[in-house]
Structures are given as structure tokens and as C-alpha cells.
Amino acid sequence: MTALEVVRCGPLAALQDTGRPGLARLGIPRSGAMDPRALSLANALVGNAAGEAAIELAWSAIELRASGGPARLAVAGAPAAVRVGGCVVPHHAAFTLEEGETVMVARADEGVFTMLAAAGGFDVAPVLASRSLYTRGGIGGVEGRGLRTGDTLKLRPADRDPGPLLRAAPVVIDSSAAVLRVVRGPEHSLFTATAYACLFGQTYRLGEQSDRMAYRLSGAPLERERMTEMISTGTLPGAIQVPPDGQPLVLMADCQTIGGYPRIAMVIAVDLPLLAQCRPGASINFTEVGVAEAHRLLREAASRPAATWTWAGTPSAEPSFAALAQDCRDNTVDALNPATWA
Amino acid sequence: MNTETNTWIVDQYITEQLRIAGPVDTDDSTKIVAAGDRALLVDFLPPAEPSAATPPRAFDPDRHARVLALDAAVTRNKVAGVVECIVAYASLLVCYDPLATTPEALAATLRKLLGEQSGAGPRRRSWRVPVCYGGSHGPDLAEVAARCGSSADDIVVMHASACYTVAMFGFLPGFAYLAGLPDHLAVPRRATPRTRVPEGGIGIGGAQTAIGSVAGPSGWHQIGRTPVRTFAPSRQPVTFLDIGDEIHFVAIDSTRFALMAAAAEHGELVAEIIS
């Protein structure tokens, strides 16, 4: 059986799929890929179903070796240098890793989340119908944790003909700035009109203390009309919560299911991945749209299947990497240090 | 910005409310509002004129019962496009797939279900949950006793003799918020939250009490700990409690706790079903 051995790996590498919708009533968050577009694209490139689990690298590098047979792989999302031996593999392209060969994915050059999909998918038992790692609950991923050096990830046989080599048009990822479209939040009336206008009139800075649960923003504080305690309600990723200090935070994939801070606005579904790919220090601006417009944008994105952004073709150098893989074995190239990759 | 301008801005927002925020549908007792582009929030409103005898409070059994009834009706009727519902004290968040339904159609269906709600909720069960109070398992018991002006023993008796209802899950998987804390036991949250409370912590935070699930941070006072795992990924079902279930605590000593915790470690429930 084909497997991918983790030769080396950065600290934040884990399996993620489309998560666990349906369990929020039990306090179990959705989780899933922070950039679902990258997940479906990486899967499309290797012929998997869009929601198959892939390795999510959060600004982390990884080095994997194929054993027991060749593996067909693709990388999408935050652009990161990918090499098999000394050969550069283009981003957003499927490639074959022959048995014994090693692929190295560097830390992303732009953005945060890079997805690596393998044809057939990872043969890891799902927990509560998903392979997504949810660290706080110790569920999903590999035995409830992220990937570690020494792990062996078995692959399921690919049941679809991968077809010709595919490449996809690059998706522009900007990790330094984003303009996010939001709809008004259910508790917006608890804020002063000035605060509501202020949300759209200033540029926020994305804070260091951001993770898969929430992205923290800093800017001029948003003032509430009155400091009444709110009765906690169900909540979802995209909610812009404002705690008493007036500094908003945006709930992300691993967010809590119940929240007690008022939501001034909610980031629309299609724009949440743009925020996910921003790095601390990024400039964030908000602009308001209606729910109907948010839905139109979502339908537009959904009607654009991965296949139309991809084209069949043969990369200029057909990946045949075995001869150059010696570099990796000799350790002259460090997967975790792109500077050694020249 | 002067007051007049402020008022004008507020008026503008109200005028644009429908255009921007989608359906807003209010009657005397419920309000349905858009909560982003993938959910509607059904808010169950407090009585219009709360009398002095019934001040507004976080937990209102009547409103909570209506939340559960709507939740059950949505499930029973398999409402098209609904992904999931999140039950809270006085609201139901109805998450939908915008590619499968529209908020307008969903709001109309919810309004119809609210209109025909019968009292027949899901079957409720009653559980006996063992708790080791005080000592290393309940480091804040003495402080709670001091704040309430009672002895630690009295606090334990009061906490264990009340009948609780699982009002909702949240914060962490299987973290069960319980309704029914005796008023006397309400104490404000700790000034400094603990960074890590072990699994199964029994805490008091304001007028709320809860059964902790997995280990995590907490600003609540920890008065005890149960060997019962409300969330165990390797066990089926992963969470055994359901919203609406009744909880009766039984005080146990630390020896018994250790035995039961070992059994729970091996996948045993260790909570007892009463009915």
C-alpha cells in the first residue's frame, strides 16, 4: 500500500477536510480547512472529491517520502516552493512522487495556509465523520494531533483516473491586506451609530494572537450604546465579536459554538478565506453588503467548478525526479530552510 | 458628531435594515434576524413588561422550552436547506445552506413552525452524576462558601440537592451548561481565570453552573470534579447527555472518585440513569 512518510515537518501541519457541520449543538466546532478553496482545488488536481482530507500547512514546511508505490500529489493555497529532489514543481499542478522520492514543501512565500492533497486520500479513520484535526477536543487528524516527524500516512487507492496532468490558474493570495465584505450582525444595534460607521471607516491591523479559533484585530475601539450583558447565543465562523475592550475579533474555523459578545457584523462566506490567508500585521478593511448579494457571490463561486480553472497540459519538464532526489538524502537541502534550496 | 447627526444615521440604518440585513421578522414573543449569510437567529423575547416579581434573567425556563420545541420541530420536519441548529438559553441559531434555500423561505417556515408548536418535545432523561466536592478537585469551594456566607458543607448540600437541566452545550465539546443553580450559590466569576481546569470540572460562574468536558481555561469557580466524561471521542455516543436532560449530583469521596475515574478512562459511563 502506498504511504507518505513524514521525513520532517514544521509545527503546524495537520489533516483538514470540510469539517463537522451538524455537531455544534453538542459544543463541537466545525473545524475544517481554513481556506476551503485551496482544499477543493488541491483535491480537484489529483482527482479527489472536493471535501477529501488534505494536509494543511499553517506557514509550516514539510518533507514527505513515498513508500510502497507512487503517489500523485498537488499543492494549492498559500504559494510555497515545492521541490522533488532538485526539481521545482509548479504550484497548483498535479505531480507524481515515485516510490522512494521525497517532496519538500517550504513555508509559504505569501499567505498562511497551504494544502497538500494526495490522490485517493489519506487512510485515516474519521472521527465524528471528519478527519479534520480539532486540537482542543483531541479529535481528528492523526490520533487527535497534528503531523509529526516519523508519522506514516497510508493512502487509499485512487479510484478515479487522474487523467492528464492538470494545472490551475494561480489564485492571487495577499497576506498583507484584505477588504472583507460583511453583512450586519444580529447585535449591531447594541453599538453606537458612530461605532458602526467606525467599523467601515478605519483600517484594522491583524494581531499576533490569531489562530484557527479567532483572528484578532486592533484599531479605534468600537463603543457600545450601553454595556448590557447579552444572553449567549449560537455562533458561527465569520462572526465579528466585540468584547468590552472594543477590539473586534473574527471567529474562524475552530471557533466556539456559543458566544456571549455582541456581533457587530459577520464576514460573508466567500470572503472568509481571504482573511484566513492574512498574516499578523495585515491591513483589514470592511465594507457592507446585503445578504442577497452575499448569496449571489456564493452561487457564483459554487458554479465555478475547479475544472474550469484548470487546464490539461504537460509541464515543460515532466517530473522525473529520482536523479535529483540525492540532494535531499544528502541533507544538502533543508526542507525547513528555503535558503538552502537554491 | 452632534446628537442630531447621530439620530439621522440611526434612522438611515433602520430604513436600510431590510435591504442590508435580510429578513427581520418580529412578533410579540420572537424575533427572526439574519446572523450572517448562513444562519438565521430566532430570538425568544422576554415578556414585554417584566413585572418586579420576575426580573429578566439569563435563564427563563419558558423561553428555553420554546427553543427546544422549535429545535425539535425543525428536526422532525426535516426543513429543507437546514444544516444544523444551535440551541442556547433563549435563542436558536438555524444554520442553512444558501445554495439549498433562501433566508426568506426559511424564515417563513420557522414562523409557521413557531405557530403550530406543540408541547411534545424530545424524550428527556434523568441522570445521577457523581461529584467529588472540595479538596484538590474543588479548589474554590472554600472561597465560594466565604462569598455566600455559608459553610463548605452547606454549599455542597445545596449544590448537590438541586435538580438541574442541561440548557445547552458550548464553549468546549460536551461542556454542559446547567440551569437550576440555587440563587444563593451565584458568585461572580474569578477575577483571574485559571489557564487550565482538568476535564470534568464542576464550576460556578455568576448564576450559572456547568459540567466541564475536556481540559481548558476557565474563569469559573471550581467547586468539584466529576469522573464522568461528558465528551469522550473514543466512546459511543461521544456525548451521552442531551439538551433538556435532568441532572442530579451525588457527592462522592476522593477514593470513589479515583475508582470511577479509572473506569471512565476505560470507556465506562459511570453516570447512572435514573429514568
Side-chain angles (χ1 to χ4, degrees):
Chain A
M1 183 186 259
T2 305
L4 291 175
E5 296 166 9
V6 180
V7 180
R8 270 182 293 186
C9 142
L12 294 170
L15 294 180
Q16 289 292 343
D17 53 22
T18 43
R20 303 181 175 80
L23 296 167
R25 59 185 299 109
L26 300 175
I28 300 167
R30 287 200 180 182
S31 305
M34 287 284 274
D35 186 347
R37 306 167 308 175
L39 174 72
S40 56
L41 175 55
N43 276 323
L45 290 169
V46 295
N48 286 346
E52 186 59 54
I55 296 173
E56 182 183 80
L57 301 165
W59 206 33
S60 291
I62 197 166
E63 186 177 346
L64 300 163
R65 185 191 299 121
S67 64
R72 198 164 172 81
L73 309 175
V75 175
V82 182
R83 284 185 174 223
V84 174
C87 212
V88 174
V89 177
H91 200 57
H92 286 185
F95 61 97
T96 301
L97 189 68
E98 298 296 344
E99 184 175 354
E101 282 184 337
T102 301
V103 61
M104 298 187 301
V105 183
R107 281 167 73 147
D109 302 317
E110 270 290 325
V112 180
F113 295 98
T114 304
M115 301 302 297
L116 184 149
F122 294 95
D123 190 17
V124 170
V127 178
L128 300 172
S130 166
R131 295 181 175 86
S132 287
L133 173 66
Y134 168 52
T135 310
R136 283 172 153 240
I139 56 174
V142 174
E143 293 161 7
R145 58 167 173 82
L147 301 184
R148 283 185 200 151
T149 298
D151 280 345
T152 296
L153 301 165
K154 288 181 186 160
L155 300 180
R156 297 198 305 277
D159 54 1
R160 281 207 242 170
D161 177 3
L165 284 175
L166 288 176
R167 287 190 67 174
V171 173
V172 176
I173 285 181
D174 187 345
S175 39
S176 63
V179 179
L180 305 173
R181 287 164 291 192
V182 302
V183 293
R184 178 169 303 173
E187 289 84 36
H188 72 274
S189 59
L190 295 183
F191 295 87
T192 62
T194 318
Y196 195 70
C198 180
L199 179 71
F200 301 103
Q202 67 170 316
T203 299
Y204 285 92
R205 185 184 167 279
L206 183 59
E208 304 285 337
Q209 300 297 317
S210 297
D211 56 22
R212 284 185 49 93
M213 198 169 170
Y215 275 26
R216 289 166 191 279
L217 303 175
S218 58
L222 299 173
E223 283 175 26
R224 277 193 234 173
E225 195 78 61
R226 52 194 178 280
M227 273 295 179
T228 48
E229 278 288 306
M230 182 192 138
I231 300 177
S232 297
T233 74
T235 196
L236 279 178
I240 306 177
Q241 285 192 339
V242 185
D245 68 3
Q247 301 294 324
L249 46 92
V250 186
L251 300 186
M252 302 301 279
D254 281 355
C255 72
Q256 64 273 33
T257 56
I258 297 273
Y261 294 131
R263 293 157 289 190
I264 193 168
M266 314 273 288
V267 178
I268 69 173
V270 294
D271 280 359
L272 209 47
L274 305 181
L275 176 61
Q277 293 289 12
C278 283
R279 291 186 183 175
S283 304
I284 308 294
N285 286 90
F286 295 107
T287 172
E288 191 176 44
V289 296
V291 172
E293 172 66 1
H295 289 166
R296 191 191 65 73
L297 292 163
L298 194 65
R299 279 194 301 272
E300 192 182 278
S303 67
R304 197 188 317 128
T308 66
W309 343 326
T310 64
W311 66 89
T314 309
S316 51
E318 169 68 27
S320 168
F321 305 122
L324 295 160
Q326 195 62 37
D327 286 357
C328 319
R329 285 192 286 272
D330 290 347
N331 272 339
T332 52
V333 177
D334 181 356
L336 305 181
N337 180 4
T340 66
W341 289 29
Chain B
M1 196 177 285
N2 65 33
T3 316
E4 203 170 290
T5 318
N6 264 335
T7 312
W8 180 81
I9 290 173
V10 171
D11 284 347
Q12 286 297 299
Y13 285 143
I14 292 167
T15 313
E16 290 193 3
Q17 175 88 22
L18 275 166
R19 187 181 71 75
I20 297 289
V24 178
D25 176 350
T26 309
D27 70 10
D28 290 346
S29 59
T30 48
K31 187 172 73 171
I32 302 176
V33 295
D37 58 350
R38 286 160 295 162
L40 292 179
L41 182 68
V42 185
D43 235 330
F44 291 80
L45 307 171
E49 287 172 40
S51 66
T54 57
R57 44 191 293 176
F59 187 75
D60 172 348
D62 293 342
R63 281 198 280 164
H64 188 248
R66 292 169 60 218
V67 173
L68 296 193
L70 179 61
D71 176 51
V74 171
T75 308
R76 199 171 48 235
N77 288 279
K78 298 187 176 68
V79 177
V82 172
V83 176
E84 62 184 316
C85 293
I86 308 179
V87 169
Y89 287 131
S91 65
L92 188 70
L93 187 76
V94 184
C95 308
Y96 64 89
D97 175 0
L99 303 176
T101 188
T102 65
E104 291 80 7
L106 182 56
T109 307
L110 294 173
R111 189 51 80 191
K112 183 170 149 281
L113 293 176
L114 283 166
E116 60 194 39
Q117 258 179 42
S118 65
R123 192 178 68 91
R124 311 267 170 87
R125 292 163 305 175
S126 187
W127 300 90
R128 198 171 283 134
V129 173
V131 177
C132 180
Y133 286 100
S136 62
H137 295 314
D140 299 326
L141 179 62
E143 193 187 332
V144 170
R147 280 169 181 258
C148 296
S150 302
S151 71
D153 286 352
D154 286 347
I155 297 292
V156 171
V157 169
M158 274 186 269
H159 192 266
S161 57
C163 169
Y164 302 92
T165 306
V166 177
M168 63 181 185
F169 292 100
F171 182 55
L172 287 167
F175 186 98
Y177 289 85
L178 306 181
L181 183 74
D183 291 345
H184 182 71
L185 299 183
V187 283
R189 288 172 177 78
R190 288 171 54 86
T192 315
R194 287 178 199 277
T195 52
R196 189 181 182 280
V197 166
E199 65 272 13
I202 303 294
I204 293 178
Q208 308 182 94
T209 190
I211 309 178
S213 51
V214 297
S218 177
W220 293 24
H221 294 276
Q222 301 300 314
I223 61 164
R225 192 176 166 197
T226 177
V228 174
R229 304 279 173 91
T230 58
F231 175 76
S234 56
R235 187 188 63 204
Q236 268 307 325
V238 289
T239 54
F240 69 94
L241 293 174
D242 204 353
I243 296 163
D245 282 1
E246 252 179 35
I247 303 289
H248 299 267
F249 291 125
V250 183
I252 57 168
D253 61 22
S254 58
T255 312
R256 186 114 180 85
F257 177 91
L259 285 170
M260 291 177 117
E265 184 77 35
H266 289 96
E268 271 187 51
L269 205 51
V270 305
E272 224 182 305
I273 192 155
I274 304 170
S275 59

